[in-house]
Amino acid sequence: MAVTREEVQAVLARVALPGGGDLLSRDLIRALRVDGDSVAFVIEAPSPAEAQALAPVQAAAEAALRALPGLRNVQVVMTAHGPAAKAAPPQGLKIGGHAAPHQGGPKRVSGIDRIVAIGSGKGGVGKSTVSSNLAVALARQGRRVGLLDADIYGPSQPRMMGVNKRPASPDGKTIIPLQAHGVTVMSIGFMLKEDEAVIWRGPMLMGALQQLIEQVAWGDLDILLIDLPPGTGDIQLTLSQRFALTGAVVVSTPQDVAMLDARKALDMFGKLKVPVLGLIENMSTYVCPNCGHEAHLFGHGGVAAEAAKLGVPFLGELPLDLDTRQAGDAGRPIAAGQGPMAEAYARLARRLIDGGMA
């Protein structure tokens, strides 16, 4: 029998806090989600020091919930307000706490050979479509590929990759990612209803990103592609500071306005000392399926010109294509099939492999 929200709240109300009260009466629970045999929530402490003091409370809450009949998965994230303490940092970074550089610099993720971030200066340029199809194209050429949807506020990879199961977590800490089209996939969207908004403060956002990388059982991968949110914000900063990135690929349309924002993304990666592996011009051209007329709806050649100006590789052009959009909406990336667009992504994947980037 499924566990109810009221049963979960009753258990949390019995978890006593230092100094009196409980998790509910002290209003520390955020984003409580009860879904069948799974429960997930955030404990939001007033400060990093109090979050550290509440670690035993977190463990007690997890243990009490696991005792509920019918409950199999419990996921608890600890987060905190305020700046990090100036004392020496703990050996391990708590999931959901403030993001901070790993002591000694960005670190490698065990079992993953290369991590490549796919970014853009603005939304709407097809970055997520490129990410999913490139992941599938690399897998079809024999690479062991992971795809992380790092757009916490607007995850789209569950729809584009055609998977919507909730990942398993046998011990409440390790997350087992899903598989689709030969790719190992992880997204916070797997843990949400499709129309459910993520309304989180910065610390929770950073904690979620670290959890999606460090607590996921990725296995051995040749490459992990990270589909970044648009812009130059917290996710990009935390990712670059904490994890050793092989490099970044920037996607843009050739439109002047899009290129203005793409340059900001390129500048950001430069300041964060993340090598730019290349630029991709998406929606480069449009060929009418009825008459064969070719039109450049967003201009043409602007991304290639910028790559030449900056001295970074131009990885190729991808047209604006109706079949690609329909395939993504249907959860069957066009790179998984046959035809001109699948061949275009195959060429893009081969260029990354031949260049030692994948």
Side-chain angles (χ1 to χ4, degrees), residues 1 29 36 41-42 66 69 90 105 122 126 166 186 196 225 251 257 267 286 295 336 338 346 350:
M1 186 172 65
I29 300 298
F41 61 90
V42 173
R66 291 185 189 284
K122 64 178 296 177
R166 188 178 182 87
M186 189 62 212
E196 184 176 0
L225 296 180
V251 179
V257 171
D267 181 63
Y286 174 72
Q338 305 294 328
R350 175 48 56 187

Side-chain angles (χ1 to χ4, degrees), residues 77-164:
V77 173
M78 179 76 74
T79 187
H81 293 300
K86 294 184 179 180
Q91 291 296 316
L93 183 64
K94 283 188 177 295
I95 298 299
H98 279 265
H102 181 70
Q103 192 170 11
K107 68 177 183 179
R108 297 182 61 85
V109 180
S110 177
I112 300 178
D113 191 17
R114 303 171 184 85
I115 300 178
V116 174
I118 301 182
S120 65
K122 64 178 296 177
V125 299
K127 168 187 52 59
S128 293
T129 297
V130 171
S131 299
S132 58
N133 281 285
L134 181 56
V136 171
L138 287 167
R140 293 188 74 182
Q141 298 194 33
R143 310 308 285 171
R144 297 170 298 176
V145 184
L147 175 62
L148 171 61
D149 187 353
D151 193 347
I152 306 297
Y153 287 137
S156 55
Q157 292 304 340
R159 168 64 69 89
M160 290 187 170
M161 295 297 285
V163 284
N164 57 10

Side-chain angles (χ1 to χ4, degrees), residues 27-229:
D27 192 29
L28 299 183
I29 300 298
R30 299 287 183 271
L32 174 61
R33 177 175 171 79
V34 181
D35 185 7
D37 62 355
S38 300
V39 170
F41 61 90
V42 173
I43 299 175
E44 189 175 69
S47 69
E50 291 187 59
Q52 187 173 2
L54 286 174
V57 175
Q58 178 180 354
E62 291 182 6
L65 287 170
R66 291 185 189 284
L68 278 177
L71 190 59
R72 298 181 59 187
N73 298 316
V74 179
Q75 295 181 354
V76 183
V77 173
M78 179 76 74
T79 187
H81 293 300
K86 294 184 179 180
Q91 291 296 316
L93 183 64
K94 283 188 177 295
I95 298 299
H98 279 265
H102 181 70
Q103 192 170 11
K107 68 177 183 179
R108 297 182 61 85
V109 180
S110 177
I112 300 178
D113 191 17
R114 303 171 184 85
I115 300 178
V116 174
I118 301 182
S120 65
K122 64 178 296 177
V125 299
K127 168 187 52 59
S128 293
T129 297
V130 171
S131 299
S132 58
N133 281 285
L134 181 56
V136 171
L138 287 167
R140 293 188 74 182
Q141 298 194 33
R143 310 308 285 171
R144 297 170 298 176
V145 184
L147 175 62
L148 171 61
D149 187 353
D151 193 347
I152 306 297
Y153 287 137
S156 55
Q157 292 304 340
R159 168 64 69 89
M160 290 187 170
M161 295 297 285
V163 284
N164 57 10
K165 288 176 56 181
R166 188 178 182 87
S169 180
D171 58 2
K173 297 179 181 179
T174 303
I175 303 171
I176 308 302
L178 302 182
Q179 301 287 325
H181 311 289
V183 177
T184 302
V185 187
M186 189 62 212
S187 170
I188 200 168
F190 296 146
M191 304 177 187
L192 305 170
K193 295 178 182 178
E194 191 171 39
D195 56 354
E196 184 176 0
V198 175
I199 308 173
W200 283 358
R201 295 182 177 91
M204 297 166 69
L205 194 70
M206 300 307 98
L209 174 66
Q210 293 172 11
Q211 185 178 25
L212 291 175
I213 295 178
E214 294 183 308
Q215 289 186 224
V216 171
W218 290 107
D220 292 329
L221 298 178
D222 294 311
I223 183 171
L224 174 64
L225 296 180
I226 300 183
D227 179 16
L228 293 173

